């Protein structure tokens, strides 16, 4: 089993696996993110078979960047074998190489497998309902996580400026809002126009 970075060349595999594991809607957002060049991706393979995929992006906030683990999906018959963990660990390595200070991911409270995986990898979970409304809005923009209710954070540097306070910085919020427009808002508008 190997996990390797891929790009637009594996977008069809990413759409297939995310579409089957989550939904066509999530596959659409993941593919748009890759096609715009904002997201990077990894694919886990065993010989020629794709076992799972991960989609992620980095936000150039200050004083440190934030790495967002956007999607992780594993083929149903390969779940429970640590493939999701291998994908997340590989994404972390790629983001660490570019100096990312925080890794974040979101999920649903009832997604026990994702929660367990993230916690085993050292992430700390915070319920969205426990976060101030203004800050929660910034986090939702940062992650496009409008269906999720749980935020997971992992710091790569113990002395980093606190994550939540960093998000409230006006310059950082502007950067996040611009990214949100590209990754969340415009794709949503395109979907509405198709109907």
């Amino acid at each position: 089993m190997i996990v390797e970075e891929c790009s637009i060349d594996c977008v069809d595999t990413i759409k297939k696996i995310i579409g089957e594991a989550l939904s066509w809607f999530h596959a659409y957002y993941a593919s748009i993110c890759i096609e715009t060049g904002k997201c990077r991706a990894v694919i886990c393979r065993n010989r020629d078979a794709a076992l799972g995929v991960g989609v992620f992006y980095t936000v150039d906030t200050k004083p440190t960047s934030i790495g967002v683990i956007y999607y992780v999906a594993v083929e149903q018959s390969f779940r429970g074998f640590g493939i999701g963990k291998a994908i997340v660990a590989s994404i972390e390595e790629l983001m660490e190489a570019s100096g990312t200070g925080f890794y974040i991911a979101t999920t649903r409270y009832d997604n026990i497998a994702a929660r367990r995986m993230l916690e085993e990898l050292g992430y700390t979970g915070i319920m969205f309902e426990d976060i101030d409304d203004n800050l929660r809005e910034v986090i939702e923009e940062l992650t496009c996580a409008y269906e999720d209710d749980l935020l997971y954070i992992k710091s790569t540097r113990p002395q980093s400026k606190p994550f939540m306070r960093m998000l409230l910085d006006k310059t950082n919020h502007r950067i996040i809002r611009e990214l949100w427009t590209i990754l969340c808002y415009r794709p949503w508008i395109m979907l509405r126009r198709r109907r």
Side-chain angles (χ1 to χ4, degrees), residues 60-119:
D60 293 325
T61 50
K62 302 295 181 226
T64 186
S65 60
I66 300 169
V68 178
I69 300 171
Y70 196 27
Y71 287 105
V72 174
V74 176
E75 288 277 2
Q76 186 167 358
S77 59
F78 297 105
R79 292 180 190 158
F81 296 104
I83 293 168
K85 270 190 196 176
I87 289 169
V88 172
S90 296
I91 289 170
E92 288 178 354
E93 284 180 25
L94 290 166
M95 289 191 293
E96 183 178 13
S98 61
T100 303
F102 293 97
Y103 309 136
I104 65 170
T106 62
T107 191
R108 301 278 315 151
Y109 183 78
D110 60 2
N111 189 340
I112 305 300
R115 289 175 46 207
R116 184 178 301 127
M117 174 190 68
L118 291 166
E119 289 165 8

Side-chain angles (χ1 to χ4, degrees), residues 1-194:
M1 176 177 83
I2 62 165
V3 179
E4 59 190 1
E5 188 169 6
C6 62
S7 60
I8 197 73
D9 60 312
C10 67
V11 76
D12 290 337
T13 302
I14 289 167
K15 285 167 65 173
K16 177 187 175 294
I17 292 175
I18 290 176
E20 290 172 358
L22 301 168
S23 74
W24 70 267
F25 182 76
H26 294 288
Y28 166 77
Y29 275 92
S31 65
I32 290 283
C33 193
I34 293 167
E35 290 164 2
T36 62
K38 295 296 183 185
C39 278
R40 296 166 64 190
V42 295
I43 187 165
C44 180
R45 298 182 193 275
N46 186 7
R47 296 188 183 98
D48 291 332
L51 310 177
V53 297
V55 179
F56 63 101
Y57 55 92
T58 303
V59 185
D60 293 325
T61 50
K62 302 295 181 226
T64 186
S65 60
I66 300 169
V68 178
I69 300 171
Y70 196 27
Y71 287 105
V72 174
V74 176
E75 288 277 2
Q76 186 167 358
S77 59
F78 297 105
R79 292 180 190 158
F81 296 104
I83 293 168
K85 270 190 196 176
I87 289 169
V88 172
S90 296
I91 289 170
E92 288 178 354
E93 284 180 25
L94 290 166
M95 289 191 293
E96 183 178 13
S98 61
T100 303
F102 293 97
Y103 309 136
I104 65 170
T106 62
T107 191
R108 301 278 315 151
Y109 183 78
D110 60 2
N111 189 340
I112 305 300
R115 289 175 46 207
R116 184 178 301 127
M117 174 190 68
L118 291 166
E119 289 165 8
E120 288 174 2
L121 288 168
Y123 286 77
T124 301
I126 304 168
M127 292 295 297
F128 275 24
E129 65 188 28
D130 295 333
I131 300 171
D132 171 76
D133 289 345
N134 294 330
L135 189 53
R136 184 171 56 234
E137 183 179 329
V138 176
I139 292 167
E140 287 172 341
E141 290 174 354
L142 175 63
T143 60
C144 298
Y146 294 99
E147 295 178 353
D148 293 339
D149 53 11
L150 191 53
L151 170 69
Y152 276 93
I153 305 169
K154 182 176 180 180
S155 176
T156 63
R157 298 183 189 109
Q159 292 82 16
S160 291
K161 183 177 182 178
F163 176 75
M164 300 298 191
R165 198 169 46 181
M166 196 174 79
L167 292 181
L168 294 175
D169 177 86
K170 289 182 182 183
T171 302
N172 286 340
H173 189 212
R174 182 185 48 76
I175 292 166
I176 291 166
R177 176 57 67 98
E178 288 172 4
L179 186 68
W180 170 81
T181 301
I182 296 166
L183 299 185
C184 305
Y185 183 67
R186 285 185 191 150
W188 178 76
I189 291 295
M190 290 175 8
L191 271 181
R192 288 185 49 103
R193 288 182 182 155
R194 289 181 187 174

